[in-house]
């Protein structure tokens, strides 16, 4: 049975991720060309190394320490998914809160963990006064299918910091 709980900064350490598999084989991605979204061949393998996990630990701790939200899924006491939402509302009348990460371990994808994590992020952001989640989302066809299933659409207002950091990401929003 999958168990969920909000993480504390003290729980977030490299050992937490020892059974988490980020691996994703990507073959096709969404790309915007001349104002039109197209599916293009863009094969690569997305995986994290030790340095990526160290950065992740630092970022997730910072999210919590600054008043954000980190929620996790565990199977047999092993981390199998997590979501994070940054504190602070931006985007004027859009009232966005930034969903900064959502990941499910490779062997657990398709089991409903992502949906549960996403719903928890929406609930928390709404309780904090947000009107929408903002997601700078991986452009892989499979990732985008998940976000569309969760009710996400193209963001009405792009967050320039995200566009510059990840120019191939799809900028999405989800009404809360």
């Amino acid at each position: 049975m999958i168990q969920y709980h909000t993480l504390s900064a003290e729980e977030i350490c490299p050992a937490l991720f020892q059974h988490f598999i980020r691996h994703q084989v990507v073959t096709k991605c969404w790309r915007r060309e001349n104002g039109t979204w197209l599916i293009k061949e863009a094969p690569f393998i997305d995986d994290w190394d030790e340095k990526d996990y160290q950065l992740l630990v630092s970022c997730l701790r910072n999210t919590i320490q600054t008043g954000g939200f980190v929620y996790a899924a565990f199977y047999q006491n092993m981390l199998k998914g997590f979501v994070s939402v940054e504190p602070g509302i931006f985007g004027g009348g859009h009232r966005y809160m930034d969903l900064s990460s959502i990941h499910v371990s490779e062997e657990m994808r398709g089991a409903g963990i992502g949906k549960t994590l996403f719903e928890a992020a929406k609930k928390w952001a709404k309780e904090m006064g947000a009107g929408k989640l903002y997601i700078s989302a991986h452009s892989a066809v499979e990732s985008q299918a998940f976000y569309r299933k969760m009710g996400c659409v193209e963001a009405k207002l792009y967050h320039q910091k995200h566009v510059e950091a990840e120019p191939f990401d799809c900028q999405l929003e989800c009404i809360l």
Side-chain angles (χ1 to χ4, degrees):
M1 169 175 244
I2 308 296
Q3 296 178 320
Y4 297 88
H5 74 266
T6 302
L7 293 179
S8 67
E10 295 74 30
E11 289 176 276
I12 300 172
C13 63
L16 180 65
F17 298 93
Q18 69 185 17
H19 299 288
F20 188 87
I21 304 168
R22 169 61 187 100
H23 188 261
Q24 181 178 0
V25 177
V26 176
T27 57
K28 296 179 180 181
C29 292
W30 285 95
R31 295 289 187 257
R32 190 174 189 149
E33 293 183 6
N34 301 318
T36 302
W37 286 100
L38 306 168
I39 296 175
K40 306 288 270 187
E41 294 288 331
F44 67 96
I45 296 175
D46 198 359
D47 212 345
W48 291 342
D49 61 20
E50 186 177 328
K51 193 174 181 180
D52 293 319
Y53 281 106
Q54 289 172 353
L55 178 61
L56 177 64
V57 165
S58 175
C59 289
L60 292 176
R61 282 183 183 160
N62 182 67
T63 297
I64 293 168
Q65 291 165 346
T66 58
F69 177 70
V70 180
Y71 191 69
F74 292 85
Y75 178 69
Q76 297 179 345
N77 296 317
M78 295 178 286
L79 179 73
K80 293 301 173 182
F82 61 95
V83 65
S84 60
V85 181
E86 300 305 313
I89 295 174
F90 66 94
H94 293 284
R95 294 185 2 263
Y96 289 126
M97 283 191 101
D98 193 4
L99 187 144
S100 50
S101 64
I102 183 168
H103 297 282
V104 175
S105 191
E106 183 178 41
E107 79 282 9
M108 300 297 285
R109 293 179 192 146
I113 293 171
K115 179 181 180 182
T116 300
L117 295 171
F118 194 85
E119 291 298 325
K122 284 175 58 176
K123 181 178 184 280
W124 183 84
K126 188 173 186 173
E127 289 171 358
M128 295 296 112
K132 301 176 185 179
L133 281 178
Y134 186 95
I135 308 108
S136 182
H138 197 295
S139 62
V141 167
E142 299 83 1
S143 298
Q144 288 300 303
F146 166 77
Y147 288 113
R148 299 296 173 176
K149 191 174 179 181
M150 296 299 104
C152 298
V153 297
E154 186 173 356
K156 304 284 187 257
L157 176 70
Y158 278 23
H159 191 298
Q160 203 54 39
K161 179 184 89 171
H162 287 305
V163 174
E164 290 169 7
E166 294 289 346
F168 290 119
D169 275 7
C170 298
Q171 306 303 310
L172 305 174
E173 66 180 36
C174 183
I175 295 173
L176 304 179

